[in-house]
Amino acid sequence: MTTTQPLDVQPTPLALLLLGRESDPRSERGVECPGDLPAPSDPDLVERARAAKARLADKVFILGHHYQRDEVIEFADVTGDSFKLARDAAARPEAEYIVFCGVHFMAESADILTSERQQVILPDLAAGCSMADMASAEQVAECWDVLAEAGVADVTVPVSYMNSSADIKSFTGRHGGTICTSSNARRALEWAFSRGEKVLFLPDQHLGRNTAVRDMGFSLDDCVVYNPHKPNGGLTVEQLRAAKMILWRGHCSVHGRFSLESVEDVRARIPGVNVLVHPECKHEVVAAADYVGSTEHIITMLDEAPAGSAWALGTELNLVRRLANSHPDKQIVFLDKTVCFCSTMNRIDLPHLVWTLESLADGKLVNRIQVDAETEHFAKLALEQMLALP
């Protein structure tokens, strides 16, 4: 089938922001790039990108996250989710420049895992992550104090999602915890519960809840939500002592918008549709879906799906469009009816990429992402613990 009609979503008043054409005052490290960008309408952008990349040759390695625009993915040497890309960067020690077409926390992880001689570049410093911004180092330190006062910190193991800042990863490493991805969250939780009675899961409450309840048999009553904007997280000592999963009050601005009504609507419109959603979606959406999986799992399922099958995907729209275009023998639709791009991910566009590559080719280092040594040390401990998970 063609993809125009199934993906005919309508823009909302936030469309310009969601397309990365306006500033997001809440974005991580919310600053603009220095320097002059080429105009978006420049007809020579593609050729300029090719020429600059050719000048750099093996000195540059370009990483493209699955949620990036097609115009950017075209120039990526590898594509993948955040952790896969960070590992790919570490596996290319000959590349002096790692240009990470993603968001800030991803570039931080790449800097942590790559060698000292490699320099990680983020084409737009305003490309942050609203989820990562929902947990600051100060807030998490205060949370740990609350757990200590409740007498449960000693039996609590922190598990932090990959979608977190280097500071949060470092906190996790300092306190004997591990990082997880949406693919290995269950293994991370099983490891954590073998070492403690409780888990502090941050910053995405939905991934933590869905993994514990859907995959591991916990009840919703085993989970409490810690709200950093309320005294003591909005929880009593009794609630903290009774809980198994202490979930940080954070979420993905894209996946968190899907609703039970979205699922019911698409089932009414497309009989026999398979609903496949990311585990960052709300619990009621995950419970109503047919399949749940990470970004890589979603891609694999669509690759293996039979011709003629119908799928409604609850994930970022750039990826959904790309999957629909690459599988014309299947009906692939977006789970929501309105625009749902990742606003900060979409800040990485062709003008930013061209400016970055041309600057590097001219010997000018721009937008380097560098994690300080102490933060890197403890964050790397948490990342290495994830790599060591059984």
Side-chain angles (χ1 to χ4, degrees):
M1 291 187 62
T2 59
T3 60
T4 302
Q5 184 60 35
L7 296 180
D8 186 20
V9 293
Q10 300 300 314
T12 68
L14 292 176
L16 286 177
L17 171 61
L18 294 171
L19 289 168
R21 296 175 186 163
E22 296 291 345
S23 298
D24 181 354
R26 298 166 298 175
S27 66
E28 187 182 30
R29 315 297 198 278
V31 294
E32 299 292 343
C33 286
D36 296 325
L37 298 179
S41 58
D42 186 340
D44 299 323
L45 279 177
V46 171
E47 287 305 317
R48 288 174 64 178
R50 288 174 180 164
K53 187 177 181 183
R55 286 171 61 195
L56 288 161
D58 292 340
K59 291 177 67 176
V60 70
F61 191 53
I62 302 177
L63 310 174
H65 190 272
H66 287 308
Y67 296 167
Q68 286 292 310
R69 307 163 184 256
D70 286 344
E71 67 191 52
V72 171
I73 290 294
E74 177 183 349
F75 292 97
D77 294 302
V78 294
T79 59
D81 62 15
S82 58
F83 187 61
K84 175 183 181 295
L85 293 176
R87 287 192 301 178
D88 285 343
R92 293 292 294 265
E94 71 278 8
E96 181 178 347
Y97 303 119
I98 304 296
V99 176
F100 207 125
C101 296
V103 294
H104 198 278
F105 77 80
M106 300 178 186
E108 285 183 328
S109 296
D111 183 59
I112 291 167
L113 292 174
T114 51
S115 68
E116 291 185 8
R117 66 169 293 275
Q118 294 178 289
Q119 300 175 92
V120 177
I121 313 298
L122 186 65
D124 186 349
L125 293 178
C129 172
S130 60
M131 181 199 295
D133 286 345
M134 292 177 189
S136 71
E138 295 77 12
Q139 289 172 329
V140 176
E142 182 179 343
C143 171
W144 198 253
D145 288 341
V146 170
L147 299 185
E149 290 174 8
V152 299
D154 290 343
V155 294
T156 301
V157 178
V159 175
S160 294
Y161 191 22
M162 190 71 181
N163 299 28
S164 59
S165 69
D167 287 339
I168 301 308
K169 291 183 177 72
S170 182
F171 165 88
T172 305
R174 285 177 185 271
H175 292 87
T178 187
I179 308 303
C180 75
T181 68
S182 53
S183 299
N184 69 2
R186 177 173 181 170
R187 278 184 289 151
L189 288 184
E190 289 173 343
W191 173 85
F193 279 113
S194 74
R195 298 173 62 86
E197 299 174 11
K198 305 174 188 294
V199 164
L200 171 63
F201 191 93
L202 41 86
D204 181 26
Q205 61 170 308
H206 300 306
L207 177 61
R209 182 183 296 106
N210 290 328
T211 304
V213 176
R214 181 180 181 273
D215 299 337
M216 299 176 63
F218 286 81
S219 73
L220 289 174
D221 291 337
D222 291 323
C223 307
V224 295
V225 177
Y226 182 95
N227 185 343
H229 302 293
K230 292 184 177 181
N232 297 317
L235 299 169
T236 65
V237 170
E238 291 73 20
Q239 287 175 309
L240 288 170
R241 290 176 177 172
K244 295 293 186 183
M245 291 287 293
I246 302 169
L247 306 169
W248 192 264
R249 189 177 182 269
H251 64 275
C252 170
S253 299
V254 170
H255 294 108
R257 69 176 288 123
F258 297 114
S259 66
L260 184 58
E261 289 73 24
S262 301
V263 178
E264 294 170 344
D265 176 74
V266 79
R267 291 198 191 281
R269 288 188 289 114
I270 308 175
V273 68
N274 297 281
V275 177
L276 171 56
V277 303
H278 195 281
E280 290 176 14
C281 292
K282 298 172 184 174
H283 181 68
E284 58 266 29
V285 174
V286 166
D290 299 300
Y291 305 99
V292 182
S294 66
T295 300
E296 296 288 351
H297 183 70
I298 289 172
I299 294 170
T300 299
M301 285 203 72
L302 268 295
D303 288 343
E304 298 175 352
S309 56
W311 297 82
L313 304 185
T315 191
E316 205 271 344
L317 185 52
N318 274 322
L319 175 60
V320 178
R321 284 181 167 171
R322 192 170 301 119
L323 288 171
N325 287 330
S326 62
H327 295 284
D329 60 329
K330 301 154 194 172
Q331 183 179 6
I332 299 174
V333 305
F334 188 55
L335 185 57
D336 201 357
K337 285 185 174 181
T338 56
V339 169
C340 193
F341 293 101
C342 175
S343 61
T344 48
M345 188 78 73
N346 267 270
R347 298 200 68 88
I348 308 297
D349 56 14
L350 198 49
H352 282 90
L353 181 59
V354 169
W355 169 75
T356 299
L357 294 177
E358 289 182 339
S359 297
L360 295 176
D362 290 338
K364 180 181 178 183
L365 180 64
V366 295
N367 289 10
R368 183 179 181 186
I369 301 299
Q370 193 168 19
V371 179
D372 68 87
E374 183 178 0
T375 300
E376 177 178 315
H377 171 74
F378 288 103
K380 196 168 187 177
L381 288 180
L383 286 166
E384 289 174 344
Q385 177 53 62
M386 181 179 73
L387 293 173
L389 289 174

